[in-house]
């Protein structure tokens, strides 16, 4: 089974003018990143989609906040991304630059390969 999403760049294909599509792990990687960075109530008519990770980025940059971000990422993916089965979520904090590095390892449902997606999380105004 192939998973296909529309590319969020919205650049049309130069040959036929259709929107570009992305497939399988690339599509799921984009979906996971978008879910992590989307706040609840940000998607019209789907108030449960998204996570509170962006709000947690303004807390103290320590191990406790990294653990809370891990839990929020796991909750969000389990609730909103049925195409994957989470293998591991790890969030490392860097107090010097006030960043967090989130690493998500997952399997696509029905496949045995483990894929990894990483996202650098920084607080922005």
């Amino acid at each position: 089974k192939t998973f296909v999403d529309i590319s969020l760049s919205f650049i049309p294909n130069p040959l036929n003018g259709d929107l570009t599509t992305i497939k399988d792990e690339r599509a799921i990687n984009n979906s996971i990143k978008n879910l992590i960075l989307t706040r609840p109530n940000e998607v019209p008519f789907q108030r449960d989609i998204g996570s509170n990770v962006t709000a947690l980025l303004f807390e103290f940059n320590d191990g406790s906040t990294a653990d809370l971000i891990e839990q929020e990422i796991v909750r969000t993916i389990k609730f909103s991304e049925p195409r994957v089965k989470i293998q591991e979520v790890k969030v490392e904090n860097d107090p010097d630059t006030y960043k967090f590095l989130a690493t998500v390892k997952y399997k696509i449902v029905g496949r045995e390969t483990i894929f990894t997606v990483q996202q650098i999380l920084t607080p922005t105004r």
Side-chain angles (χ1 to χ4, degrees):
K1 185 173 180 178
T2 301
F3 298 105
V4 181
D5 288 345
I6 295 173
S7 173
L8 294 179
S9 66
F10 291 105
I11 298 173
N13 183 324
L15 299 176
N16 59 15
D18 290 344
L19 290 177
T20 308
T21 59
I22 53 178
K23 297 180 182 178
D24 294 331
E25 70 271 2
R26 193 164 161 223
I28 293 172
N29 284 351
N30 283 353
S31 174
I32 289 172
K33 288 178 182 180
N34 288 334
L35 286 170
I36 291 170
L37 297 175
T38 301
R39 293 177 298 211
N41 294 320
E42 201 171 46
V43 179
F45 306 109
Q46 294 183 359
R47 66 175 198 231
D48 296 332
I49 300 294
S51 73
N52 290 313
V53 169
T54 53
L56 291 169
L57 296 177
F58 291 96
E59 300 294 329
F60 291 114
N61 189 317
D62 59 5
S64 298
T65 304
D67 291 342
L68 289 172
I69 292 172
E70 279 181 19
Q71 293 172 11
E72 184 64 14
I73 290 172
V74 169
R75 184 201 63 78
T76 301
I77 294 172
K78 282 185 177 181
F79 180 76
S80 301
E81 186 52 85
R83 302 179 288 185
V84 302
K85 181 175 176 162
I86 298 172
Q87 299 299 303
E88 179 185 15
V89 175
K90 185 174 183 180
V91 176
E92 299 172 9
N93 66 312
D94 184 0
D96 296 332
T97 59
Y98 212 75
K99 295 179 182 178
F100 292 91
L101 174 64
T103 304
V104 179
K105 294 183 180 183
Y106 65 91
K107 286 184 182 180
I108 297 175
V109 173
R111 299 186 189 168
E112 290 302 316
T113 307
I114 295 177
F115 299 98
T116 303
V117 60
Q118 290 186 323
Q119 181 70 37
I120 296 173
L121 304 168
T122 56
T124 56
R125 296 179 190 177

